[in-house]
């Protein structure tokens, strides 16, 4: 048992997008709150002490996203916030006769996709699942084009949990407002009447964004983004599991209730408040807010180093030569190179890999590709695909050495189904089936990154050699 525990702590942890360790400040807040065992809803001194701690944490959570404390509803996890927000907003809008159309993207977390499918299947909603560009990004134009007079709700993630691509949320929010205004103007241009009046009288299309992966890595400002709802997930930003929060912009129409019971959370979410979990989330949010710039810089440096190390072993293919004048112009758009490709040379780099010469290097060119936007991407997330191998086999080779995730939902050691995110991005199958998601954290060191890159590269080379 002791040897097993020691082996776990010896692993290099590169799965911070899956969950994070609890930070020391959150642990201290949780420990302190254990003494405040009174029910926060009780009127006596013990209850009031717990309530004071609880509300202090709510204020810290609100500050992280530039909200007011009364715009934050505390819940058990990110999935609950999404269920309450999407189901509550959609059902309330339909009951009021405002419409029954929802817009989301094809690369959302299952917590969003399953709720939307449920609303379609069980409640008669219509849904548009938008495609993405090859980097996994949703365009504001595609969202605006999908709006109909029946649209009541839009949910687009702030950043993708698998490839890290960051979406243009503020631009999407502006486009939604413009689309609604354009619909009213078109109705008036067609003679006014019921269409123009109906569109003008409807409340604005409600907009939700899941910021679970972005918080603590990027600055997130609810007001600047222009959204109505934001999802906060505790265990993604060094708080405990079992706690989350939903930002609801002041003035948003009431949502249909998901949890029935007493009047906790101003009647929005029934259930006895957990002072210790909320205190842990509040402390983690305070740490994230205070150290945002330094954390972002460190995460980016570690991710770039990891990518550069891997690209030294598996170089990206060279860009095509510029077209000659006889060919009709001075070149075209070359495929974008990743930001780390032109970084400093790595010791023992390309020409020194395995003692091979240029032939071996040429064979490895194009063996790896990086998924996600080259610039608009989470600073900590690196999704890499290796051509011709299966992610389960690769993870088996590094088992016990590196903790990371496959970029595919794996069914067995011999087969892998490509994730819906990679499929939507159009990643070729021979790459997609060999995808790893590597996500660094605040505690990740350069030494860990270097060692992880070597272990992964060695395992890939061994698998490729066996396949040949």
């Amino acid at each position: 048992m002791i040897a097993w525990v020691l082996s776990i702590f010896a692993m290099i942890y590169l799965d911070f997008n899956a969950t994070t360790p609890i930070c020391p400040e959150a642990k201290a807040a949780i420990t302190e709150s254990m003494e405040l065992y009174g029910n926060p809803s009780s009127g006596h001194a013990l209850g009031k002490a717990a309530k004071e701690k609880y509300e202090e944490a709510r204020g810290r959570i609100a500050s992280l996203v530039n909200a007011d404390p009364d715009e934050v509803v505390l819940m058990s996890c990110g999935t609950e916030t999404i269920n309450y927000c999407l189901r509550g907003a959609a059902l309330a809008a339909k009951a009021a006769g405002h419409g029954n159309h929802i817009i989301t993207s094809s690369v959302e977390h299952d917590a969003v996709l399953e709720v939307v499918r449920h609303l379609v299947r069980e409640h008669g909603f219509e849904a548009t699942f938008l495609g993405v560009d090859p980097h996994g990004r949703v365009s504001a134009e595609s969202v605006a084009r999908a709006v109909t007079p029946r649209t009541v709700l839009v949910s687009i993630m702030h950043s993708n949990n698998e490839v890290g691509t960051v979406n243009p949320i503020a631009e999407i929010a502006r486009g939604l407002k413009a689309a609604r205004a354009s619909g009213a103007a078109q109705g008036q241009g067609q003679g006014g009447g019921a269409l123009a009046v109906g569109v003008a009288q409807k409340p604005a299309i409600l907009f939700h964004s899941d910021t679970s992966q972005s918080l603590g890595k990027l600055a997130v400002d609810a007001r600047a983004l222009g959204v109505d709802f934001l999802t906060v997930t505790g265990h993604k930003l060094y708080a405990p599991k079992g706690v989350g929060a939903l930002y609801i912009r002041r003035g948003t129409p009431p949502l249909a209730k998901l949890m029935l019971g007493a009047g906790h959370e101003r009647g929005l979410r029934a259930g006895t408040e957990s002072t210790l979990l909320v205190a842990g989330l509040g402390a983690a949010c305070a740490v994230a807010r205070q150290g945002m710039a330094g954390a972002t810089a460190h995460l980016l440096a570690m991710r770039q180093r990891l990518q550069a190390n891997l690209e030294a072993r598996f170089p990206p293919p060279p860009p095509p030569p510029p077209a000659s004048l006889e060919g009709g112009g001075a070149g075209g758009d070359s495929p974008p190179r990743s930001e780390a490709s032109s970084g400093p040379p790595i010791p023992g780099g390309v020409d020194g890999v395995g003692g091979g010469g240029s032939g071996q290097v040429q064979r490895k060119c194009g063996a790896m590709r990086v998924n996600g936007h080259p610039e608009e991407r989470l600073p900590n997330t690196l999704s890499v695909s290796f051509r011709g191998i299966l992610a389960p086999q690769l993870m088996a080779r590094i088992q016990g050495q590196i903790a990371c995730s496959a970029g595919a939902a794996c069914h067995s050691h011999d087969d892998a189904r490509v994730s819906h995110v990679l499929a939507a991005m159009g990643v070729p199958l021979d790459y997609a089936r060999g995808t790893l998601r590597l996500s660094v954290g605040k505690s990740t060191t350069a030494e860990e990154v270097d060692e992880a890159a070597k272990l992964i590269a060695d395992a890939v080379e061994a698998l490729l050699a066996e396949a040949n």
Side-chain angles (χ1 to χ4, degrees):
M1 179 66 180
I2 295 177
W4 178 75
V5 171
L6 290 176
S7 68
I8 291 177
F9 283 104
M11 292 179 68
I12 300 171
Y13 190 73
L14 295 180
D15 207 17
F16 286 86
N17 280 13
T19 196
T20 58
I22 301 176
C23 67
E25 294 83 356
K27 288 180 181 179
I30 292 169
T31 302
E32 179 184 344
S33 298
M34 287 180 178
E35 303 300 322
L36 302 174
Y37 57 86
N39 189 322
S41 296
S42 297
H44 49 66
L46 288 174
K48 290 180 178 178
K51 185 69 170 178
E52 182 179 350
K53 187 73 172 180
Y54 189 86
E55 293 302 328
E56 177 189 25
R58 188 196 304 274
R60 289 176 162 184
I61 298 164
S63 294
L64 181 61
V65 297
N66 190 29
D68 292 330
D70 65 353
E71 295 177 301
V72 172
V73 181
L74 296 159
M75 298 186 177
S76 66
C77 61
T79 296
E80 185 190 349
T81 74
I82 292 168
N83 271 262
Y84 177 56
C85 167
L86 299 191
R87 293 176 66 181
L91 293 175
K94 186 180 180 184
H98 295 150
N100 69 333
H101 179 235
I102 303 169
I103 300 171
T104 188
S105 85
S106 56
V107 297
E108 299 294 313
H109 192 280
D110 282 341
V112 169
L113 294 176
E114 286 302 310
V115 173
V116 174
R117 290 169 185 148
H118 169 82
L119 290 168
V120 170
R121 185 174 59 248
E122 303 295 336
H123 296 281
F125 279 82
E126 299 173 359
T128 298
F129 297 86
L130 298 173
V132 294
D133 69 14
H135 299 306
R137 206 164 193 242
V138 180
S139 73
E141 293 79 9
S142 69
V143 177
R145 285 195 302 268
V147 171
T148 77
R150 304 182 310 281
T151 304
V152 294
L153 178 65
V154 174
S155 181
I156 303 293
M157 62 194 345
H158 188 270
S159 60
N160 186 267
N161 54 295
E162 189 171 321
V163 300
T165 295
V166 178
N167 285 309
I169 299 301
E171 185 181 352
I172 292 172
R174 291 192 295 270
L176 288 173
K177 293 178 182 178
R180 175 65 80 183
S182 175
Q186 288 176 8
Q188 293 170 351
Q190 295 169 0
L195 176 61
V197 174
V199 172
Q201 289 180 345
K202 284 183 181 179
I205 300 168
L206 296 176
F207 186 18
H208 164 261
S209 187
D210 181 1
T211 59
S212 297
Q213 289 293 347
S214 300
L215 292 171
K217 303 164 189 169
L218 297 172
V220 173
D221 186 322
R223 304 201 191 287
L225 291 175
V227 297
D228 302 291
F229 310 103
L230 283 183
T231 285
V232 178
T233 303
H235 74 99
K236 303 293 188 181
L237 66 147
Y238 302 89
K241 299 171 180 65
V243 63
L246 178 66
Y247 160 79
I248 304 178
R249 180 185 55 79
R250 188 181 293 109
T252 300
L255 308 182
K257 288 187 178 180
L258 178 65
M259 300 280 285
L260 302 179
H264 306 92
E265 290 297 296
R266 305 183 304 282
L268 299 175
R269 196 271 185 183
T272 302
E273 304 98 324
S274 174
T275 303
L276 62 92
L277 291 178
V278 169
L281 176 56
C285 286
V287 171
R289 182 169 178 262
Q290 294 164 4
M292 183 69 67
T296 301
H298 173 74
L299 295 174
L300 181 59
M302 292 301 98
R303 190 199 79 194
Q304 289 178 328
R305 187 182 185 101
L306 179 59
Q307 181 173 334
N309 272 275
L310 289 172
E311 287 184 335
R313 298 282 292 268
F314 305 101
S324 64
L325 292 176
E326 291 81 359
D333 292 333
S334 298
R337 295 192 67 190
S338 63
E339 60 208 67
S341 299
S342 57
I346 303 299
V350 177
D351 291 332
V353 173
S358 59
Q360 184 178 7
V361 172
Q362 187 172 0
R363 179 176 61 84
K364 293 178 182 177
C365 283
M368 184 189 84
R369 61 169 282 158
V370 176
N371 307 307
H373 199 282
E375 296 174 357
E376 300 298 329
R377 181 158 42 116
L378 290 176
N380 80 315
T381 305
L382 179 62
S383 170
V384 288
S385 298
F386 298 97
R387 185 175 58 195
I389 65 173
L390 295 179
Q393 296 175 342
L394 177 54
M395 292 189 69
R397 291 292 180 111
I398 58 176
Q399 182 71 28
Q401 298 172 305
I402 302 172
C404 62
S405 292
C410 303
H411 294 284
S412 72
H413 183 80
D414 299 317
D415 190 23
R417 177 170 54 86
V418 175
S419 78
H420 68 286
V421 175
L422 299 179
M425 292 168 58
V427 177
L429 183 62
D430 59 341
Y431 279 103
R433 286 157 61 94
T435 301
L436 294 184
R437 182 190 68 183
L438 308 169
S439 48
V440 302
K442 292 192 291 187
S443 61
T444 304
T445 66
E447 291 75 19
E448 288 179 318
V449 162
D450 293 346
E451 179 64 15
K454 181 180 184 303
L455 291 170
I456 292 169
D458 288 348
V460 170
E461 288 185 352
L463 289 169
L464 290 175
E466 292 172 8
N468 294 328

